[in-house]
Amino acid sequence: MPLIGKEDTIDNEKKKKHSRRGLSPAAIAAVILAALLLGSALGAVLYLNNAMRSMNTVYPGVSVNGVELSNLTHEEAEKVLTELEEGAYRGYSVSVKLPMNTTLSVSVEDVNLQLHIEDALNAAWDYGRSGSWFQRLTAYVRHRYFAATAELSAPTSRSLDEAALKSLVGDTVTALNDKLVRSSYRIGKYSINILKGAFAMNVDEGKIIEVLRAAILDADPTPIVYEQELKTDEGVDLERLHAELCHESVSSVYDPATGQGTPSEQGLDFDLEEAKKLWAAAAYGETVAIPLITSEPEMSQDELNALLFRDVLGEKSTSLAGSTQNRINNVTKACEKLSAVTLQPGETFSYNDCLGQRNAENGWWTAGAYVDGQVVEEYGGGICQVSSTLFVACLLSDVKINTRSCHYFPVSYLPAGYDATVSWGGPEYKFTNDREYPIRIHAFVENGSVTVQLIGTDLEHNTVELCSSDIEELEAEDKTMVDNAGNVVTVGYRVTIWCKVYDADGKLIKGGNGDYHKYYSVYNYHTEDIEAKLAKKSEDVPEISDTPIFPEEDGGGEEIWW
């Protein structure tokens, strides 16, 4: 055991000695050189690392999206990128052409455009400052000492106010739809002018917003044309228009409610087939002029108003001499009622209907009247003078007389044959307006007389002549009434009247044979008058007229006469 240990010690010593003898001067020099070189490299690396760390600009030769940013500080590079983006939008706007000559222009200010360059700026700045230590060092050396270049690509984004863009487009489309012309027509003097409009134009707001957004974000100023076809009113119902507009002319007629003529209207018509051809050939916005065929009314409103109630057709006045105040009051009341009457052509007037029943309740006063051959006090006494005066005015106006009766006794205010008696429930006076225009009755009391006028329109300017026969005395039927000389005493008389009508030139056109407006009247003498005749001497008895006996068509009454 001790032996083995000794040998080991001897071998180790030998090795040491051998080792010290192998380290030659050249080896030592090489070691020293290697150490120096390693130190220099380490120093260079440390220098480069410090230089790389202290670099505060973009690496030389670096471009982003084609923009040279070499050796620019972060702030300088940001300014360059910002100015380039803002320069692209300086004074920028994009427009879209819409239908009906409408253009919508949108600027960057309208939609609050925002530019985003962060990604490009970060790409330029981060180049050479990211990756491993060796990658960063290599990039620095290449760009710092060997003029290396790097073309980077990084997106620069833009954003806009979507709500503002949508509002601009929406307002424009609304105005465009309001501007859309609908078909309409206007009636001119010689034509119906129909504007050909459109009934629909469905503008796609979303599509317009889309193309505007793209153009703004791409900074593309090229005008955009939005095509939209208008749907014109090809189906305008011209037949319905013809039915609604075309009509015969309408003449003015008298309106009792207004006392004037109703509005007149010109007749209208147009060629329907020709109108359809003109409409089919027209484009949107064009006016189609369809010639009118007009026809004038026979009587316009102005013409009728100028004719209405312009002429006094017939007029008669009778004296109220000897009348009591009550009788005058009744006559005045009757005139007031007559003056409220206007008769249309073909309308018949009834005196009793107009005045109503004569009694105290209706405001009539008592005055003298004829009842069964006696003079009595009756309500409405005196109104027969008004009806008689009206009868003569009607004769002079040449209107149709339907019903007329003479009094039982003669009257003092008119010649024989020209009176017209009336009684409630008894005799009546009626006439019809058989003229072309309305007639108005005007009756009034003035200066001790009652006057009745028929006022209307006299186009013919004819003249009426009143004619009457001689008075024929009538004997009592039994012929027993004689005076003290034995001569027959008359108890009444009869007379006939008729009219002759002459035209404006004085030519007789009616009544030449004596039968136009022909009326027979028979009157009785009062009892006291007959008795006076019976007591007369023969030389005082009047001679009997030679007038021939009339037919039994007297029209006299037997009940109440006023």
Side-chain angles (χ1 to χ4, degrees):
M1 293 294 295
L3 184 60
I4 295 172
K6 187 177 179 179
E7 289 177 353
D8 291 335
T9 302
I10 293 173
D11 290 337
N12 288 336
E13 287 293 329
K14 287 180 178 182
K15 290 178 179 180
K16 290 178 180 181
K17 290 179 179 182
H18 180 74
S19 174
R20 285 192 296 268
R21 282 194 304 268
L23 195 60
S24 65
I28 294 171
V31 171
I32 293 171
L33 179 60
L36 290 173
L37 291 173
L38 179 61
S40 298
L42 288 173
V45 169
L46 290 174
Y47 171 79
L48 292 174
N49 185 58
N50 289 332
M52 181 178 63
R53 286 177 177 274
S54 62
M55 188 173 184
N56 62 351
T57 62
V58 176
Y59 276 34
V62 173
S63 299
V64 179
N65 299 334
V67 179
E68 177 69 40
L69 299 178
S70 299
N71 300 316
L72 298 179
T73 65
H74 190 280
E75 291 78 10
E76 292 171 339
E78 181 179 14
K79 182 178 180 181
V80 168
L81 290 175
T82 300
E83 288 181 349
L84 286 174
E85 285 290 319
E86 290 179 347
Y89 282 99
R90 189 169 292 113
Y92 171 85
S93 67
V94 66
S95 61
V96 55
K97 294 182 179 180
L98 298 171
M100 294 189 293
N101 298 320
T102 300
T103 299
L104 171 61
S105 295
V106 181
S107 67
V108 292
E109 289 81 7
D110 293 332
V111 293
N112 191 26
L113 180 70
Q114 300 294 317
L115 305 175
H116 305 287
I117 61 171
E118 293 84 0
D119 291 342
L121 181 62
N122 291 337
W125 188 258
D126 290 344
Y127 182 83
R129 291 180 172 83
S130 61
S132 66
W133 175 83
F134 182 76
Q135 291 173 327
R136 295 196 302 274
L137 182 62
T138 302
Y140 178 80
V141 172
R142 289 178 61 247
H143 285 268
R144 182 70 180 80
Y145 299 104
F146 296 99
T149 60
E151 177 60 41
L152 307 179
S153 178
T156 56
S157 61
R158 300 149 184 152
S159 64
L160 51 79
D161 188 337
E162 294 286 344
L165 179 59
K166 183 176 180 181
S167 177
L168 284 171
V169 173
D171 291 345
T172 302
V173 171
T174 298
L176 193 63
N177 282 324
D178 291 341
K179 188 179 177 181
L180 185 68
V181 177
R182 268 64 177 185
S183 294
S184 61
Y185 68 86
R186 180 177 59 84
I187 301 178
K189 186 175 181 180
Y190 302 106
S191 63
I192 299 175
N193 302 304
I194 309 178
L195 175 65
K196 191 166 189 177
F199 65 88
M201 182 181 64
N202 298 321
V203 177
D204 189 343
E205 292 187 35
K207 180 65 176 178
I208 296 175
I209 292 172
E210 178 184 337
V211 296
L212 281 174
R213 182 194 299 111
I216 294 171
L217 295 181
D218 292 342
D220 183 0
T222 305
I224 304 164
V225 178
Y226 177 83
E227 299 291 345
Q228 173 65 44
E229 181 180 359
L230 296 174
K231 297 181 180 179
T232 56
D233 291 329
E234 300 298 337
V236 166
D237 194 344
L238 292 174
E239 291 184 354
R240 179 179 177 182
L241 183 63
H242 185 274
E244 291 178 350
L245 294 183
C246 297
H247 55 80
E248 298 293 333
S249 62
V250 178
S251 290
S252 179
V253 296
Y254 177 72
D255 182 2
T258 62
Q260 295 184 335
T262 58
S264 57
E265 195 169 353
Q266 188 183 56
L268 294 179
D269 199 3
F270 64 82
D271 189 327
L272 183 58
E273 295 306 317
E274 181 64 21
K276 290 179 179 179
K277 293 178 183 178
L278 292 172
W279 183 258
Y284 171 77
E286 290 184 357
T287 297
V288 179
I290 301 174
L292 273 177
I293 304 169
T294 61
S295 57
E296 297 300 326
E298 293 183 7
M299 180 66 67
S300 71
Q301 186 178 33
D302 290 341
E303 290 172 335
L304 179 59
N305 286 338
L307 292 173
L308 288 173
F309 312 115
R310 71 175 189 181
D311 304 311
V312 176
L313 305 177
E315 177 179 3
K316 182 61 180 175
S317 297
T318 56
S319 174
L320 292 171
S323 296
T324 65
Q325 187 58 51
N326 281 14
R327 188 175 189 278
I328 293 175
N329 286 340
N330 289 334
V331 169
T332 302
K333 183 178 179 67
C335 288
E336 291 173 352
K337 287 184 173 291
L338 286 182
S339 294
V341 173
T342 299
L343 297 178
Q344 296 288 357
E347 188 174 358
T348 297
F349 168 83
S350 166
Y351 194 82
N352 274 332
D353 288 347
C354 177
L355 269 61
Q357 186 172 2
R358 276 71 74 184
N359 52 37
E361 290 78 5
N362 291 333
W364 297 99
W365 293 14
T366 59
Y370 296 150
V371 179
D372 294 330
Q374 301 294 323
V375 177
V376 298
E377 292 290 312
E378 286 287 328
Y379 286 105
I383 64 168
C384 281
Q385 182 169 350
V386 182
S387 61
S388 297
T389 308
L390 174 62
F391 170 53
V392 179
C394 289
L395 290 174
L396 295 172
S397 301
D398 193 19
V399 295
K400 179 183 177 181
I401 298 172
N402 305 80
T403 303
R404 172 262 176 186
S405 298
C406 67
H407 286 80
Y408 185 84
F409 295 118
V411 297
S412 61
Y413 46 79
L414 278 169
Y418 292 102
D419 61 313
T421 186
V422 291
S423 175
W424 186 256
E428 169 70 293
Y429 176 70
K430 294 182 179 180
F431 74 94
T432 297
N433 176 15
D434 57 351
R435 302 179 70 94
E436 186 178 354
Y437 294 94
I439 290 176
R440 178 178 296 159
I441 303 176
H442 184 209
F444 56 93
V445 173
E446 186 176 74
N447 298 327
S449 296
V450 56
T451 300
V452 178
Q453 298 173 327
L454 263 60
I455 301 174
T457 304
D458 184 9
L459 299 181
E460 298 84 7
H461 302 291
N462 294 336
T463 302
V464 177
E465 178 187 358
L466 302 180
C467 304
S468 64
S469 69
D470 292 333
I471 293 176
E472 178 195 3
E473 296 283 353
L474 299 178
E475 300 174 352
E477 291 183 0
D478 56 7
K479 298 183 180 182
T480 59
M481 300 183 71
V482 294
D483 61 13
N484 58 5
N487 297 315
V488 176
V489 175
T490 57
V491 295
Y493 59 90
R494 65 192 310 166
V495 69
T496 185
I497 65 168
W498 69 94
C499 295
K500 291 182 179 179
V501 182
Y502 300 86
D503 65 15
D505 297 324
K507 180 181 178 181
L508 180 64
I509 57 176
K510 297 178 184 177
N513 57 0
D515 62 355
Y516 185 66
H517 277 327
K518 191 173 187 178
Y519 301 95
Y520 301 102
S521 301
V522 176
Y523 302 98
N524 294 277
Y525 289 132
H526 292 276
T527 302
E528 59 272 20
D529 294 331
I530 296 173
E531 290 177 348
K533 286 184 178 184
L534 289 173
K536 284 184 178 181
K537 297 179 180 180
S538 59
E539 60 268 25
D540 297 327
V541 177
E543 296 182 359
I544 302 298
S545 172
D546 294 332
T547 305
I549 300 298
F550 290 96
E552 296 299 326
E553 299 180 16
D554 51 67
E558 296 181 354
E559 298 187 16
I560 302 177
W561 300 270
W562 305 82

